[in-house]
Amino acid sequence: MRSLNVLNDARISALKARGGENLTLVARGAVTVPQGQRFAGQDSYDVAYRAEMTRLLGPEDAGAGDGLLGRARELADDPQGRDPVRAAADRGAEWRERHARARESDEAGDYEQALERVIGAEGDEATGASFDRLDAALEQALVHEQDEFERAARAGGGALTGLVAGSLALAAVGAAAAGVGIARRLAEYR
């Protein structure tokens, strides 16, 4: 269950990061972080992108082991669960690198190049391709973990099959014992 929660949080962070990345290009620097706050003057959507990528992958200098994907990999208990999470982390690192190149183009004033590096044609070096592969890997990991959860729930439910019959038998024994006890008390008064 914990692995499902972490994977869902990771997917949400990836979607938020993608939204921030796209809005960075749409806003074209028009929305900045207010003065007096951390990252003042920087594009607020790019700041949001970086925050979500840090949540997803961990700090840039720490690799991909500290974020949600690192925790999801630790919680996965078999290769079928770990491999797609590892692939998602690799795609996330790739996405982060590609995003940095797109931001360099945008900040240098080459909006068309930045746009191409974010949206680009399918199968190329765009950040969108990295996001799509990351999302597909997360979907694969989520499907696997959901199947594992359902299998465990069914196995646990099988252990409870005799619970109803056992409860009825105990209730019958309790009623019989109460009847015997009442009969003895009544016999004392006769």
Side-chain angles (χ1 to χ4, degrees):
M1 183 68 172
R2 288 185 325 187
S3 60
L4 279 174
N5 289 336
V6 172
L7 286 169
N8 281 319
D9 289 345
R11 197 165 198 194
I12 290 167
S13 282
L15 289 167
K16 285 180 174 181
R18 184 65 178 161
E21 181 178 54
N22 288 334
L23 288 170
T24 298
L25 288 176
V26 171
R28 297 185 78 174
V31 182
T32 59
V33 176
Q35 293 298 323
Q37 293 184 13
R38 188 172 182 210
F39 305 114
Q42 294 182 26
D43 185 292
S44 63
Y45 296 118
D46 191 49
V47 170
Y49 162 84
R50 291 190 316 251
E52 291 301 332
M53 289 301 280
T54 298
R55 186 170 184 252
L56 183 66
L57 299 172
E60 284 188 59
D61 56 355
D66 291 339
L68 290 169
L69 292 178
R71 279 195 300 185
R73 193 172 52 243
E74 289 171 7
L75 291 171
D77 54 359
D78 60 5
Q80 292 83 9
R82 278 188 298 274
D83 291 347
V85 174
R86 186 174 291 115
D90 292 344
R91 297 300 67 83
E94 173 186 86
W95 178 16
R96 189 181 256 171
E97 291 171 13
R98 291 178 176 185
H99 176 80
R101 288 194 302 269
R103 291 300 302 142
E104 288 171 6
S105 296
D106 193 27
E107 289 171 359
D110 192 352
Y111 179 74
E112 293 301 320
Q113 179 66 31
L115 189 62
E116 184 65 27
R117 287 185 171 178
V118 171
I119 298 172
E122 190 161 333
D124 66 355
E125 297 293 313
T127 63
S130 296
F131 167 77
D132 290 343
R133 289 191 291 266
L134 179 145
D135 191 54
L138 283 175
E139 175 67 22
Q140 183 181 358
L142 279 162
V143 166
H144 173 74
E145 292 299 326
Q146 183 67 40
D147 289 346
E148 290 289 311
F149 176 75
E150 288 173 4
R151 189 178 1 255
R154 281 191 300 274
L160 302 175
T161 54
L163 189 61
V164 172
S167 297
L168 291 174
L170 286 174
V173 169
V180 169
I182 291 173
R184 284 189 182 168
R185 293 290 166 234
L186 288 175
E188 290 175 4
Y189 295 107
R190 290 185 192 175

